[in-house]
Amino acid sequence: MPLHEEYSETPRILHVGDTSGVSLPGMSAEAASVERALDALEATECIVCEHGLPECDALAVLSEVRERDSSLPFFVVTEDDETIAEAFAMDVTDCIGPEDRTVLSHKIERAVTGYRNEQALSRAKAVLEGVPDAIVTIDTEGTVRYANDGFERVLGYDSTGIAGEPLKRVIPERLESLYEAALRRYSETDERSLDWEYFETRARHSDGHEVPVTLSLRNATDGGEELITGIIRDISERKTVETELEASRERYRKLVAASPEAILVADAETGKLIDANVAAEELLDRSRSEIRGMYQWEIHPRERQTYYRQLFERHAKEGGISRSTDDLSVVRSDGEEVPVEISTNRTRLDGRLVIHGIFKDVSERKARDRTLAYLRSATRELMTAETKADICKIAVEAAGEELDLPLSGIYLANDEEDVLRPVAVTETTERLLDELPRFEAGEGLTWSAFESGEATTFDDAKDARTTYDRPVSVEQEMVIPLGDHGIFLLGSLSAAELDEYVRDFAEILATNVRSALDRATREETLSTQRAELVELNRINEVIREVDQALVQATSREEIEETVVNRLAAAGPYEFAWVSESEVSAETVRTVANAGDTTYMEAVETAADTCNCPVEQAQTSGRAVVVEDVKIDPDFEAWGEATLDGGVQSMAAIPIRYDETCYGVLAVHANRGGAFDDRERDVLVELGETMGMAIAAMESRKALASDCVVEVEMEISDADHYFVRVPQELGCTFTLHGTTMSPTGEIHCFITATGVPSDVVLERTAKADGITDTRLIRESDHECVFEVTYEGPSFVKTLVDRGGAIGYVEANEERARGTVELPADANIRGAVEAVKSIAPKGRVVAQREREKPEPTATEFRMQLSESLTDRQRTAMETAYLAGFFEWPRDSTGEEVAELLDVSAPTFHQHLRHAEAKLLKTFFDR
């Protein structure tokens, strides 16, 4: 129940204190405690508190309430003046006596109404402050009465600072007069010169720049005063989008106008063309005004207009972007059909649904497709052609059919003659020219183009000496190099015939021809290689048979006879023979021959053999091949015998093992150029195999022979460190022994007498062929040192011939030594081999002697005689205790303990015993 009839809603009043004193409508039936009053504060619009100590302290309640709500109506019921004074000091709403109920009712009504209005205003302000737009209220004079926080967000002005200021501050200067006139007209006549619902204008930001805005206005009356409220919205982003959209439209219009492709715009509902660009006018050969008003299907061939109409209607219905490429065309004003590719898109233009169509002229592409199809067909033929002539013929025919040029031909290079010769030309070329030309190296522009590798086009009228001496006038010529193969030559009687299309086609065709010629060259090479491989396999089969026979041979003569017999029996060889290697011989001496005895007799009786291929191979140690014996000057001495024997080519192969040459294997063929690199390599390997077999054979003979020939030689001068160093230093060298490393180096152990060790080591290290020197031991009068030598070696030469070195000594006058050779060895060959290293060497003695081989018992007796008892005991105990096993069964300390001696004493006895064992084995 309201307090008064005009008060629409009963206030929510909370009574605190004694309930007997006061009772009002809306007041709680029971007096609330202080705690309950504070808890119910949010649901209360007024508090009436009776002051009565000590039960209820109104001042304490007032203090608590004011801390939480500074404006909530609060009445204190009391007659105590002191309490009233304190209450007003604490911002109480009013104080009243307990008997003044009517007065209290009116005061509560006024206080609650004010409180409610204040709360509503607060909520309204909160809503307005949250609005992103600017809201401003002005009076009819244009003064700002209110502005929300959005005013600052939109225009940059503080909402409180703008209040009381004229709104003209936010009006651009150029619009001020319009604003003032409109405001004055409205205040005087209520006439609105603008659309108050919505209009766009410009506002001035606090920083001076203008902001595009929309403005909506409302008028209202407050306390009899008319006010105008406006909502100002920033439309900068929208304006930016609109500007960009307009710019995009303008770009679109310009692009359409400048597009190289024809663009037509048609109404999506009627199919009538409403716009066309310049490219469309050119494509259709019609003016823009003529195109406008035509139906879309009328620009296509008449017999297919129904199809094009259905295609258009489907695009209009389905929308989206579509692209059609299936055999489409448009018709020009003269009736010519032009193949096109059409791309369409349904869109809106000025509020109308339209179809944009881009018509691309694909005439050139269609022509290229036909050309490519023709090129593919020609390429397939080129790739299957078997010979270069067939490839050239196919290419020339393709160029003639597609290009229809009067002159067309392919010229291939002849490497031997350095000339370009015609291989294939068109029939028209043959009719026009009396004689087909050939192009010599360095002559004219044609050869220059071939050498440059770049396609060249030149005018006959301008360039002197182009290609032909001809009875016809050629306007232009084009030379396309085909790599190293040759050129593709085209000629026209008109400059227009060699246009860009012709040149592109010719260059593509020339590229395919070049690839085909490369393939043909590879196939020819492979065919040649296959034939060579067959020949090589045949040769290898012969070599395998020879190798098997060499393994079973028991003498050098058998080795040589086996090789020449097997080679002479092989298909490509006429005959083969072996000459003995004698350095001082003046004629070639045959030791094995198979195939042609008459020829060999003529060779042996030839007067001059000092520079024949056999002598060259023997002297140089390298294979010598004569491709054509009839014209080779080194074969002149054997010329007549060669021709009578039917010989065309020859190979002389040295029979070598390491540095020793045992002779020369000569192989003859009845055709020229029979010995290529591969065949020569195989025969060289055969010569090395023969040399290895002969060396092994002589080594076995030396080991198995009981009788040896001892040759004593003397060398007065030689370019060898063992001879030269003693002569230069005035000392004596004695060779104790030699060993050979796996890499072929010779290690010599030498005693030098009469010279300091540092002097002899320094001088020896400077000699040719010396890679290392090392002092082993020295005394007052002599030193023993080791030399590592890589130069020509007496040792290796003699070992290869089955020989062994006895003693060797060199002093300041000469070097002297003995060599042991098997009784049936080639003594002269061994001596000559030594003389090849030391030309001034000579034999001073030669004698045969037995080479007794001691038995095992004799060996043991000789060893036992040299050992002391302690040495024998130390070595035997170490052997039985497993000292020589690896890993050792017993250590040196353990063996010494068994012998009851110290470890150093045991090792001393063992070393002496080992030295005597090795001396007995190696010095016998």
Side-chain angles (χ1 to χ4, degrees), residues 381-631:
E381 293 185 38
L382 290 172
M383 291 300 111
T384 57
E386 295 183 357
T387 66
K388 292 183 178 181
D390 291 340
I391 293 171
C392 296
K393 182 178 179 182
I394 293 170
V396 168
E397 290 178 353
E401 292 177 9
E402 181 67 18
L403 303 179
D404 194 25
L405 293 174
L407 297 175
S408 177
I410 291 181
Y411 292 70
L412 297 185
N414 187 319
D415 295 334
E416 295 180 359
E417 299 181 15
D418 222 10
V419 65
L420 294 170
R421 295 180 179 275
V423 177
V425 296
T426 60
E427 294 181 359
T428 306
T429 303
E430 290 182 328
R431 288 197 304 270
L432 290 175
L433 302 178
D434 296 335
E435 181 180 355
L436 295 177
R438 47 179 275 173
F439 306 107
E440 302 287 345
E443 293 184 0
L445 296 177
T446 301
W447 188 268
S448 298
F450 171 62
E451 285 188 329
S452 69
E454 297 181 359
T456 305
T457 302
F458 44 85
D459 298 330
D460 193 22
K462 298 178 181 178
D463 299 321
R465 296 196 62 197
T466 53
T467 57
Y468 303 126
D469 292 327
R470 65 189 85 80
V472 294
S473 176
V474 177
E475 185 67 25
Q476 279 191 329
E477 293 172 355
M478 183 176 185
V479 180
I480 308 175
L482 302 174
D484 295 333
H485 303 290
I487 59 168
F488 194 175
L489 184 60
L490 302 173
S492 69
L493 305 181
S494 169
E497 291 180 344
L498 283 182
D499 57 15
E500 184 177 357
Y501 166 76
V502 171
R503 297 176 186 179
D504 290 344
F505 179 90
E507 290 188 10
I508 294 173
L509 180 59
T511 300
N512 293 335
V513 171
R514 177 177 177 178
S515 298
L517 291 173
D518 288 341
R519 174 191 56 79
T521 301
R522 288 193 300 271
E523 290 180 354
E524 289 178 358
T525 302
L526 289 174
S527 177
T528 302
Q529 290 175 345
R530 282 192 292 268
E532 292 175 352
L533 184 60
V534 170
E535 181 70 12
L536 189 60
N537 289 336
R538 182 195 56 74
I539 297 171
N540 285 333
E541 183 65 27
V542 173
I543 298 303
R544 280 194 294 271
E545 293 178 0
V546 170
D547 289 342
Q548 293 173 2
L550 291 179
V551 173
Q552 301 172 2
T554 59
S555 66
R556 175 173 176 175
E557 291 75 13
E558 185 177 350
I559 291 173
E560 295 167 342
E561 290 292 341
T562 299
V563 171
V564 296
N565 287 331
R566 295 298 176 92
L567 291 177
Y573 305 131
E574 282 292 302
F575 56 91
W577 52 283
V578 174
S579 71
E580 191 175 42
S581 176
E582 297 292 346
V583 176
S584 61
E586 297 181 355
T587 60
V588 174
R589 187 169 71 87
T590 305
V591 295
N593 172 40
D596 193 334
T597 306
T598 304
Y599 175 80
M600 294 311 306
E601 292 175 354
V603 168
E604 290 183 350
T605 58
D608 185 9
T609 60
C610 62
N611 197 34
C612 69
V614 173
E615 287 297 324
Q616 292 179 26
Q618 179 177 293
T619 304
S620 65
R622 294 190 298 270
V624 177
V625 173
V626 180
E627 298 290 349
D628 190 343
V629 299
K630 296 189 298 295
I631 62 174

